[in-house]
Amino acid sequence: MPDLVGDCPFPLGRHPNADELTAASTKWLVDGCPELSPKRKQALWGLQAGLLTARCYPYCPPERMRIVADFLGYLFHLDNISDGMLTNETSVLADSVMNAHWFTEKYMPTNGQPQQEISAGKLARDYWARCMKNCKPGPAHRFKETLEQFFESVNLQAQDRDANQIPDLESFIDIRRDTSGCKSTFDLIEYAYDLDVPQEVLEHPVIEALKQGSNDLVAWSNDIFSYNVEQARGDDTHNLIPIFMEHHNMNLQEAVDKVGKLCKDTIDAFVSNIERIPDFGDERVNREVKIYVQGLQDWIVGSLHWSFETERYFGKDGQKVKETRIVPLLPKRAEET
């Protein structure tokens, strides 16, 4: 693997409540998914989503940190249960989850939704009700908007999976910027630090470039980290590595090297764009932009290091892989329940 950690110049943080946060948030998620098999529940404990939160929001107040951690763990859970779903099944999941965000007080099924709320909806209603107690209007609106974009992209991914189709590079990159879930997690930077950055500031070309750069780095590095387990279960169509292999006639190592080069270029561009942030003519806005961009930077470095701390990609061998950057390919196997 490329030396992505070595390519990243940013300092790594860690919230002091990381261990306590991880335990409490994981218990909330496991208790809220009684239908999961013991193996899948154990995988949620190995995920260490609370530690990812502690890495990417290291200065967040503890009470807000817990809500962010609950969402990050939940987002991975959505990724797990949507993998392998048919297109119509992802639509049912999306409708149930978004119902909880639009009707926070109680479950109000619309046409086509089950009369009994599924666990994914109940979990979403729980964390969102807590979040809305002190979330400012701007990030609350943006969060719901970007979460809907996430589900739309998951639906497109399911269509490709149904057709056994590997998308071309340009189409994939557009979809991947939404399937990563990063847009919603970036909205939570504002929630975590009690910000409400004006929409026109977030849409400034330099800020847009910084958001896209952090998103691309997180998503593309994840394609490297997750490739092995995805290829082993035969679910690797939405990943940059097989796209370069399929459409650009590369072997596996060439494709991995290519994605690594894209990641390094993205980090370098992010560093350059930090120097281009303008003065927005308002002291409060400038302060909030500085905190927000720090959050985007923390996501880059935090996600890179966490990917070797979680058991999601390399099992118990994360530290060894981090040191050697050698990944033995897993044999092909059927999807485990």
Side-chain angles (χ1 to χ4, degrees):
M1 292 199 308
D3 186 13
L4 300 180
V5 170
D7 290 336
C8 182
F10 307 131
L12 177 67
R14 188 180 193 270
H15 197 281
N17 292 0
D19 295 338
E20 175 186 345
L21 175 77
T22 300
S25 184
T26 305
K27 184 178 186 303
W28 168 82
L29 183 56
V30 170
D31 290 349
C33 301
E35 72 280 6
L36 293 184
S37 67
K39 192 177 190 71
R40 285 189 175 267
K41 288 181 179 180
Q42 187 57 44
L44 291 178
W45 285 103
L47 174 65
Q48 298 279 326
L51 180 55
L52 176 63
T53 312
R55 291 293 192 199
C56 297
Y57 306 82
Y59 313 109
C60 177
E63 65 277 6
R64 293 181 181 238
M65 175 75 88
R66 170 59 197 276
I67 294 171
V68 176
D70 287 352
F71 175 72
L72 290 190
Y74 176 76
L75 187 62
F76 280 101
H77 173 59
L78 289 180
D79 183 60
N80 289 342
I81 62 178
S82 64
D83 276 349
M85 278 186 171
L86 299 175
T87 305
N88 65 320
E89 294 173 322
T90 62
S91 297
V92 171
L93 176 64
D95 287 347
S96 298
V97 173
M98 293 313 303
N99 182 291
H101 290 82
W102 290 110
F103 307 109
T104 309
E105 297 298 324
K106 64 177 181 178
Y107 181 49
M108 297 176 62
T110 56
N111 289 340
Q113 293 181 346
Q115 289 303 305
Q116 192 68 27
E117 187 172 26
I118 63 175
S119 63
K122 293 177 181 177
L123 287 165
R125 192 177 309 282
D126 181 81
Y127 76 69
W128 188 239
R130 286 181 282 135
C131 183
M132 284 302 294
K133 290 178 181 178
N134 54 5
C135 186
K136 291 183 174 177
H141 172 76
R142 286 188 281 272
F143 180 88
K144 287 188 287 188
E145 192 174 66
T146 55
L147 192 60
E148 285 192 332
Q149 292 170 2
F150 165 79
F151 279 115
E152 289 169 4
S153 64
V154 167
N155 191 276
L156 290 173
Q157 182 177 351
Q159 292 177 31
D160 283 341
R161 186 165 52 236
D162 292 350
N164 196 29
Q165 175 176 300
I166 297 178
D168 62 76
L169 181 61
E170 185 175 342
S171 301
F172 170 79
I173 288 176
D174 284 342
I175 296 173
R176 190 70 176 99
R177 285 170 176 159
D178 288 321
T179 60
S180 70
C182 284
K183 292 179 180 179
S184 296
T185 68
F186 295 168
D187 296 329
L188 291 181
I189 295 172
E190 292 186 83
Y191 171 72
Y193 300 114
D194 198 24
L195 312 176
D196 193 348
V197 183
Q199 184 67 31
E200 62 271 19
V201 172
L202 291 172
E203 292 174 356
H204 186 280
V206 174
I207 306 302
E208 283 280 10
L210 287 164
K211 289 190 295 180
Q212 184 169 293
S214 184
N215 190 345
D216 287 346
L217 185 281
V218 173
W220 297 347
S221 62
N222 181 261
D223 282 359
I224 295 176
F225 299 141
S226 64
Y227 173 76
N228 198 19
V229 292
E230 289 175 358
Q231 65 83 26
R233 66 173 185 247
D235 183 28
D236 59 352
T237 57
H238 264 252
N239 185 303
L240 270 178
I241 293 172
I243 286 171
F244 279 121
M245 294 171 68
E246 175 77 13
H247 297 300
H248 297 263
N249 298 317
M250 295 183 183
N251 63 36
L252 175 56
Q253 189 60 59
E254 290 171 339
V256 170
D257 293 343
K258 177 65 174 179
V259 179
K261 178 65 165 56
L262 287 176
C263 289
K264 185 180 187 309
D265 291 346
T266 300
I267 293 174
D268 292 343
F270 188 93
V271 172
S272 297
N273 281 322
I274 288 177
E275 301 301 320
R276 299 174 56 229
I277 297 174
D279 182 343
F280 290 99
D282 182 295
E283 185 177 343
R284 181 193 67 82
V285 171
N286 286 338
R287 182 187 67 83
E288 293 203 350
V289 166
K290 184 177 181 179
I291 296 170
Y292 181 79
V293 171
Q294 176 68 50
L296 298 176
Q297 177 179 299
D298 289 337
W299 254 102
I300 290 176
V301 63
S303 65
L304 287 176
H305 285 267
W306 170 83
S307 296
F308 299 100
E309 296 172 316
T310 178
E311 296 178 12
R312 184 175 177 86
Y313 308 119
F314 309 113
K316 304 286 187 182
D317 296 328
Q319 188 58 39
K320 179 181 177 182
V321 173
K322 188 178 185 181
E323 293 170 358
T324 66
R325 308 202 320 274
I326 302 296
V327 182
L329 282 180
L330 295 168
K332 300 283 187 181
R333 54 181 169 77
E335 172 72 15
E336 295 180 353
T337 58

